[in-house]
Amino acid sequence: MDDSELDSALNMAKSGEEAGVTLLYRNLQPFLIAYLRNRTGSSCEDVSQETWISAIGALRNFEGRGGDFKALLFDIAHKRVVDFYRKESRRPKITGINESIDIPGNSYSVENMLDDVSSQEAISKLVSNLTSDQAEVVLLRVIGGLSTQKVAKIMGKSVGSVRILQHRAVEKISKSQIGVTI
Amino acid sequence: MTSESDVDNKMQEIFRHFGDSLLAGDLDPADAPIELRNMAELIQVAKKVPLTSGLNQEQTIISHFRAAFSPQVVELEPKRRSKMISKILTAKAAAAAVAVLFGGTAAAAATGSLPAPAQTKVASVLSDVGVSVPNPSSNAAKGANHVTGPVITSANAFGLCTAYTAQVNGGSTSTSSGATVTSSPALTHSRAFINLEAAAKAANESVAQYCASVKAPSSDKGSSNAASHSKGRSESRGKGNEPNNASNDNPSSSVVPSSVAPTNPTSTMPVPSSSVPATTEAPATTVPVTTVPQSS
């Protein structure tokens, strides 16, 4: 879904059309769940639902474009992740592929599951050796597709701090991937 | 030959230059420096999130969306209810204010406590709806002082004199003379005693002298008077001004005179006894029926 389609879906949803929110959900949820799967493990479904409910509550008075709504969605998700770990009294844990993948219903084809595994495996390789903040930056940038500015806003950090975090993350990933073939 | 620090500097430069586009997924692995090629491929794969992933909450999310966006009903309902409550409260407050205002006015009018012009107006308005309250103007037409007290007759002169004597004898200033009697506040405030004094004055006597000449009425006269009094009360009751007239044996209970009686029994307003004008309007100077020569 390109930006204009996202804008259109957002406008429909804001005017109360279910088709609008359905489009938003179907196009943004896969990325949201991929992000949450790496942050909250098996609780990703619950956190995802809480995130959408909050986003829908904010939808009526939301001002911005489709990309801004996506940023809002990940902003809410980030806060839910923080709450999740506060409740669980534990620091974010980068989960491995075996413990994080959920088994969807019958509509989930084998091909899709393999794609998912590939994506999940790649995400896991990217963030496995990173600190929590570095992983957060990489996930929000790679999975969320958000700009450095939006990531900085979500994380409550300056753009410079985020740039340093991502620079160190790239350096660390690069060093760990030397000699590794996909 | 390059040193290790040179390699590090070169890598830092590559990361600085390509890092942002690398994480954004804009760096094609084919175009990436050899040092970043694997990572670029990894990021490309990571970004290929299957679009069918994690969609099993769709119905839940849609139902929440419906609840949040069907809501002209949900949001308007409390406003409408609060408006309705405020309307009811306003109406109740207005009704209470009217009740207090008119209730108080009606009570004041019924007791004749309003200023004369207001009392006249209220009496006029209420008479149109069949409710009778004291009317100063009609009373003025009948006589300036409508509370005239009893006429001194042979029947009541003895009783009045007895009461008068008892009052004088029981008072702290009583001596035995008539002069001291008139100075008694209790006596001067009694309309009946004023009439008694007037009757004595008309006979050129002091009250004591006048009372000394009054004989006790015979038992026949007394019963006759009692009968006529009873008859008068029953006639007054016969007008049907009070709902419980038949069972009302209390002489102190109010009986509204027929001249001011409401014509509509359903709108009868309770009238305190103090507001009822005396039915006897003979002036206090009426010649007593019984004049007994002064006894010295």
Side-chain angles (χ1 to χ4, degrees):
Chain A
M1 178 180 259
D2 59 26
D3 288 347
S4 63
E5 289 172 328
L6 201 58
D7 292 344
S8 174
L10 176 65
N11 290 332
M12 288 168 67
K14 283 184 69 178
S15 63
E17 293 182 48
E18 282 184 24
V21 78
T22 303
L23 280 170
L24 287 175
Y25 178 79
R26 289 182 180 174
N27 283 279
L28 297 179
Q29 169 68 359
F31 299 96
L32 180 69
I33 203 77
Y35 162 77
L36 289 173
R37 193 176 286 144
N38 279 276
R39 305 303 286 162
T40 62
S42 58
S43 299
C44 62
E45 299 270 345
D46 293 339
V47 180
S48 159
Q49 185 169 315
E50 291 174 13
T51 301
W52 274 103
I53 290 170
S54 295
I56 286 170
L59 191 57
R60 186 187 291 276
N61 298 320
F62 179 78
E63 291 181 3
R65 303 188 62 180
D68 300 321
F69 181 76
K70 184 168 72 170
L72 171 71
L73 195 67
F74 278 92
D75 189 6
I76 295 169
H78 171 79
K79 289 179 171 62
R80 291 285 178 273
V81 169
V82 173
D83 290 343
F84 173 81
Y85 283 105
R86 193 173 290 152
K87 285 177 187 174
E88 299 290 321
S89 300
R90 61 189 181 193
R91 293 184 56 80
K93 184 177 77 172
I94 307 305
T95 57
I97 188 168
N98 292 334
E99 60 182 299
S100 65
I101 287 184
D102 59 338
I103 305 299
N106 294 334
S107 62
Y108 210 69
S109 68
V110 174
E111 184 181 344
N112 285 335
M113 194 168 73
L114 289 176
D115 284 345
D116 197 24
V117 169
S118 300
S119 173
Q120 277 299 312
E121 190 175 11
I123 294 168
S124 185
K125 283 179 178 173
L126 281 172
V127 300
S128 58
N129 295 319
L130 304 181
T131 65
S132 179
D133 277 355
Q134 290 170 351
E136 186 74 5
V137 170
V138 170
L139 287 171
L140 288 173
R141 292 225 57 199
V142 174
I143 309 298
L146 303 175
S147 66
T148 309
Q149 288 75 13
K150 285 179 177 173
V151 171
K153 192 175 177 183
I154 288 171
M155 294 182 69
K157 296 182 181 294
S158 67
V159 174
S161 296
V162 171
R163 287 196 189 281
I164 291 170
L165 283 169
Q166 76 178 22
H167 179 86
R168 288 177 180 167
V170 168
E171 184 179 11
K172 203 177 275 187
I173 295 166
S174 175
K175 286 179 178 174
S176 67
Q177 293 299 313
I178 291 173
V180 175
T181 55
I182 306 295
Chain B
M1 194 164 179
T2 57
S3 65
E4 192 172 330
S5 62
D6 290 339
V7 173
D8 282 346
N9 289 337
K10 185 186 173 190
M11 289 297 289
Q12 293 295 328
E13 185 60 31
I14 290 172
F15 297 150
R16 200 172 293 116
H17 192 264
F18 293 100
D20 205 52
S21 58
L22 182 72
L23 290 177
D26 295 334
L27 183 63
D28 191 320
D31 300 331
I34 187 73
E35 296 85 356
L36 295 179
R37 191 158 293 165
N38 284 348
M39 187 163 40
E41 288 181 357
L42 197 61
I43 288 173
Q44 291 294 327
V45 174
K47 289 179 81 72
K48 287 183 181 174
V49 175
L51 291 180
T52 52
S53 174
L55 296 178
N56 47 348
Q57 297 173 320
E58 184 173 314
Q59 287 309 311
T60 307
I61 301 305
I62 297 296
S63 65
H64 274 92
F65 176 78
R66 283 194 197 118
F69 275 80
S70 58
Q72 276 81 15
V73 182
V74 175
E75 285 203 352
L76 286 179
E77 202 56 38
K79 286 181 186 172
R80 195 177 297 166
R81 181 176 296 177
S82 65
K83 267 190 175 180
M84 193 177 293
I85 289 170
S86 66
K87 275 184 182 175
I88 290 169
L89 288 178
T90 306
K92 280 187 176 177
V98 167
V100 168
L101 183 65
F102 284 98
T105 305
T111 58
S113 305
L114 292 174
Q119 183 74 22
T120 305
K121 283 271 184 190
V122 172
S124 169
V125 169
L126 291 180
S127 67
D128 291 342
V129 295
V131 177
S132 180
V133 295
N135 188 343
S137 61
S138 67
N139 287 337
K142 290 175 185 172
N145 186 7
H146 65 83
V147 182
T148 57
V151 177
I152 307 301
T153 65
S154 59
N156 63 14
F158 183 76
L160 275 172
C161 282
T162 304
Y164 188 91
T165 306
Q167 181 73 34
V168 168
N169 291 337
S172 60
T173 59
S174 70
T175 53
S176 63
S177 71
T180 54
V181 167
T182 53
S183 65
S184 169
L187 296 178
T188 53
H189 283 99
S190 166
R191 192 67 210 175
F193 291 150
I194 289 171
N195 288 353
L196 181 64
E197 287 168 9
K201 192 177 179 182
N204 285 324
E205 294 173 333
S206 68
V207 175
Q209 290 168 337
Y210 177 78
C211 284
S213 64
V214 172
K215 290 182 179 177
S218 65
S219 57
D220 289 345
K221 264 192 173 178
S223 62
S224 164
N225 281 339
S228 71
H229 181 65
S230 172
K231 184 184 176 188
R233 282 182 61 190
S234 66
E235 279 174 357
S236 178
R237 287 177 178 179
K239 302 293 182 183
N241 295 328
E242 301 240 344
N244 295 324
N245 278 339
S247 63
N248 187 1
D249 291 330
N250 182 4
S252 65
S253 64
S254 64
V255 179
V256 179
S258 60
S259 61
V260 293
T263 55
N264 182 6
T266 59
S267 60
T268 301
M269 179 181 295
V271 180
S273 58
S274 62
S275 70
V276 180
T279 54
T280 309
E281 295 185 352
T285 55
T286 306
V287 177
V289 175
T290 307
T291 304
V292 182
Q294 182 183 355
S295 63
S296 54

